[in-house]
Amino acid sequence: MTNNNSLSHRKEEPEAGILYLVGTPIGNLNDISPRAINILANASLIACEDTRKTRKIMNKFSISNNLVSFNKENSLKKIPKLINDLKEGKSIAIVSDAGMPGICDPGEKIVSKAISQGYDVICIPGACAAITALVSSGMPSSKFIFEGFLPKKKVDREKILYEISKNEKTTIIYESPHRLKKLMRELLHFCGGEREIFVARELTKKFEEHVSNRIASTIEFFKDKEIIGEITIVIKGIHKEKNEEINMSDLKKDLNELIKAGLSLSAASKFLAKKYGIKKSIIYNLI
Ligand code: SAM
């Protein structure tokens, strides 16, 4: 039970009493890391969402191990037993059906429980659909918002759609294929047809498809198509013009004060233009 500053002196993995969060592929089984394979092969047990899906990965890499089911329905009930396994010195690998456990998949709660009980949690990073779609989209990726699946309840859903419509940051959404058209109509309503979006379908798989366009054109593109496969959507943030955000009467007040303090109109305009990142002529014209 050590979770203070001990991570830099790891022995061979997997270690006793450690909870490993293992990222698995989101389609292409070759996207698994050698480190993940080692943990899956050698942990005391694997807690997985669907034993059939995890077995597919294990068969591909000729791994055998004990699998226990750990999914949305039973995860809360299973946590005390798994924590007890850690206490007995077992190492546990948590995997979801695909991608990173804890990202719209079980994992989050057992991690917080394990940490609160003093156990180390180590993540073996792997593919995540949200990040794969974001970096493939070419949209600004230094700041982004991940919404996961939008809520189903109308009022909660509309609140988030409204927030997305005003958002300056890139937004990432998960959606099921049969609800994509409805979501696109909602995005059209809230964000307008000109907003840029990127629909990533079947990432890392044989029929991977990227549709990158304005909302209106994307709706047109999918209009007569049957949508199948897994979908992640990336929506570009709005671009606020710098001078839209600036309160013009405050700017005028600043300008008058600088002039009163003895600066020429030209010098004061130059100073404020630099401060607010706008053209000097905009300030010049205030007087
Ligand atoms: N934990 C996973 C991760 O790290 O990405 C996400 C699990 S969530 C239950 C499943 C959703 O992720 C899908 O409905 C889809 O929106 C998205 N997703 C998963 N695999 C994908 C893929 N290959 N291509 C596009 N989206 C995918």
Side-chain angles (χ1 to χ4, degrees):
M1 288 227 260
T2 51
N3 66 357
N4 278 336
N5 304 320
S6 59
L7 298 183
S8 54
H9 305 291
R10 286 266 158 251
K11 290 184 248 151
E12 212 161 285
E13 290 179 322
E15 279 186 65
I18 291 193
L19 182 71
Y20 291 93
L21 287 171
V22 183
T24 57
I26 54 169
N28 188 326
L29 291 188
N30 288 322
D31 288 336
I32 196 156
S33 72
R35 191 174 169 214
I37 293 173
N38 175 50
I39 298 291
L40 295 182
N42 297 304
S44 315
L45 62 102
I46 303 172
C48 59
E49 247 191 304
D50 182 336
T51 50
R52 284 162 308 177
K53 292 211 168 134
T54 303
R55 231 174 235 122
K56 238 171 118 182
I57 299 178
M58 296 174 71
N59 290 342
K60 160 105 180 156
F61 297 99
S62 311
I63 300 170
S64 62
N65 205 337
N66 308 315
L67 297 183
V68 300
S69 141
F70 183 73
N71 53 41
K72 215 162 69 189
E73 281 72 40
N74 68 18
S75 62
L76 283 185
K77 262 208 283 182
K78 294 275 177 105
I79 289 175
K81 164 83 175 82
L82 291 172
I83 296 290
N84 196 52
D85 287 339
L86 291 175
K87 194 173 163 194
E88 287 174 357
K90 290 183 180 158
S91 54
I92 300 175
I94 302 279
V95 294
S96 64
D97 284 352
M100 288 302 299
I103 302 295
C104 295
D105 272 340
E108 192 183 314
K109 293 219 165 67
I110 190 165
V111 170
S112 65
K113 191 71 185 170
I115 292 171
S116 73
Q117 305 257 321
Y119 294 99
D120 283 343
V121 176
I122 303 276
C123 178
I124 315 295
C128 173
I131 300 300
T132 308
L134 173 67
V135 297
S136 310
S137 72
M139 291 184 190
S141 57
S142 58
K143 288 179 184 162
F144 60 88
I145 294 183
F146 174 59
E147 291 289 358
F149 292 97
L150 296 193
K152 293 218 170 64
K153 204 169 146 202
K154 194 166 181 254
V155 49
D156 300 337
R157 190 173 176 92
E158 290 190 344
K159 181 176 171 285
I160 297 202
L161 284 162
Y162 176 76
E163 281 168 14
I164 293 170
S165 77
K166 300 284 170 219
N167 211 338
E168 288 176 67
K169 293 174 190 150
T170 306
T171 302
I172 309 166
I173 300 178
Y174 285 163
E175 187 53 287
S176 79
H178 63 272
R179 283 196 291 265
L180 178 70
K181 288 186 184 175
K182 173 179 180 274
L183 174 65
M184 296 298 298
R185 286 195 298 275
E186 291 170 321
L187 288 171
L188 177 72
H189 177 76
F190 281 86
C191 304
E194 285 302 294
R195 188 86 166 259
E196 281 176 50
I197 64 164
F198 175 82
V199 179
R201 201 175 64 80
E202 297 286 81
L203 286 163
T204 77
K205 302 184 198 176
K206 189 170 175 192
F207 297 106
E208 175 163 351
E209 179 181 46
H210 299 172
V211 179
S212 182
N213 215 320
R214 314 258 163 201
I215 290 177
S217 314
T218 308
I219 290 177
E220 197 52 36
F221 177 85
F222 283 115
K223 199 171 81 186
D224 298 321
K225 293 191 168 67
E226 187 201 354
I227 302 168
I228 48 169
E230 300 199 85
I231 306 270
T232 298
I233 297 137
V234 186
I235 305 162
K236 196 167 183 177
I238 56 168
H239 175 69
K240 276 200 187 143
E241 289 294 333
K242 275 245 159 86
N243 50 353
E244 242 181 59
E245 290 170 283
I246 298 166
N247 182 327
M248 286 301 166
S249 68
D250 286 351
L251 194 59
K252 204 166 172 179
K253 220 166 100 194
D254 282 0
L255 183 63
N256 283 328
E257 260 163 16
L258 288 174
I259 291 171
K260 241 196 258 167
L263 260 70
S264 67
L265 173 61
S266 168
S269 303
K270 195 172 165 192
F271 173 81
L272 291 173
K274 202 166 168 199
K275 180 174 166 188
Y276 290 104
I278 56 177
K279 281 194 183 139
K280 193 176 155 191
S281 59
I282 295 172
I283 302 164
Y284 225 96
N285 289 337
L286 286 173
I287 290 218

